[in-house]
Amino acid sequence: MITLRFRSRAMALAASMLAAAPLALSPMVATPAHAIIVFDPSNYAQNVLTAARTLEQITNQITSLQNEAQMLINQAKNLASLPYSALQTLQQNVQRTQQLLQQAQGIAFNVQQIDQMFSQKYGNVSMSTSDKQMVADARSRWQNTVGGLQDAMRVQAGVVSNIDSNRTQMSALVSQSQGATGALQATQAGNQILALQSQQLSDLVALLASNGRASALTEAERSAAAEQGREQRRRFLTPGSGYQPGNAQIFNSGK
């Protein structure tokens, strides 16, 4: 469209210049009614050369305008935003994994709560602790271990459920990247692919954390059980608190 418009204008300008050229070639004698027009070949050649140079300048200007227009088109393509976003889906996946971690049973992922719980139920058994309390603490530790294993399996199930969603988003983002019309769209598609990888890494971190928590609770329960067993053995073997023999009458020998 730009080429046809400017070329038509150039041809019209050149034609008007050529049409006016003979009139400027030689002066006309206006006084006599039978004046004769004198043709000057050198002047005519000069006018034709001037018109050709003017036409060449106009053609160069048209070419320059075409290049500028193409440059603007390319800039517009480079500034075009990507018409696709996977951010909401990725945020939802991360939120689901976080919710599973926040629903941890017994001992949560909280430093203060972990310190308090280990101080109360996983530390050294006090000599003044009753047998009933030791049994209750052992049962609480067992419940924490079972809860940790269940939490780990729930996180594993959540991470596995995100795989299908991640596969769909990866396919869409790669298609958007390959079909990008400009630098901005390609960059935005690449950034979203990096965001997808970050979400997958966060799932991996959550999985490792939940599995590590379950293993730590299992080892802590085993260590606490060993300590409690030593205390119970000590109490059994302590003199005066163990078995006391006494007289027993089996048959009635009074008669």
Side-chain angles (χ1 to χ4, degrees), residues 16-26 43-44 47-48:
S16 62
M17 293 180 63
L18 290 176
L23 298 179
L25 296 179
S26 60
N43 192 17
Y44 178 78
N47 290 336
V48 172

Side-chain angles (χ1 to χ4, degrees), residues 67-206:
N67 294 334
E68 291 179 2
Q70 186 63 42
M71 182 179 64
L72 293 175
I73 292 174
N74 293 335
Q75 289 179 355
K77 289 181 179 180
N78 287 330
L79 296 177
S81 179
L82 187 71
Y84 181 83
S85 177
L87 180 60
Q88 183 177 1
T89 302
L90 299 181
Q91 288 178 337
Q92 290 175 352
N93 292 343
V94 173
Q95 186 177 5
R96 281 195 297 267
T97 304
Q98 288 179 336
Q99 289 176 351
L100 290 174
L101 294 177
Q102 293 171 359
Q103 295 170 1
Q105 306 173 58
I107 303 178
F109 291 93
N110 183 280
V111 176
Q112 294 181 352
Q113 184 179 1
I114 292 173
D115 293 341
Q116 181 181 3
M117 185 67 68
F118 267 72
S119 176
Q120 293 177 354
K121 298 185 178 181
Y122 290 89
N124 295 330
V125 179
S126 175
M127 294 182 180
S128 60
T129 304
S130 64
D131 293 340
K132 183 179 179 180
Q133 184 62 43
M134 283 194 296
V135 172
D137 290 343
R139 181 172 181 81
S140 177
R141 291 191 295 267
W142 173 79
Q143 290 175 344
N144 289 337
T145 301
V146 174
L149 294 172
Q150 183 180 4
D151 293 337
M153 295 185 67
R154 295 177 70 231
V155 173
Q156 292 170 9
V159 171
V160 171
S161 67
N162 287 339
I163 293 178
D164 186 64
S165 175
N166 292 339
R167 179 188 59 79
T168 302
Q169 295 301 325
M170 176 64 73
S171 177
L173 290 173
V174 171
S175 298
Q176 291 291 330
S177 177
Q178 292 177 344
T181 59
L184 180 59
Q185 289 189 359
T187 301
Q188 289 178 337
N191 291 338
Q192 292 190 47
I193 291 176
L194 292 177
L196 174 60
Q197 293 177 348
S198 298
Q199 182 262 315
Q200 292 173 329
L201 288 176
S202 67
D203 277 354
L204 180 59
V205 170

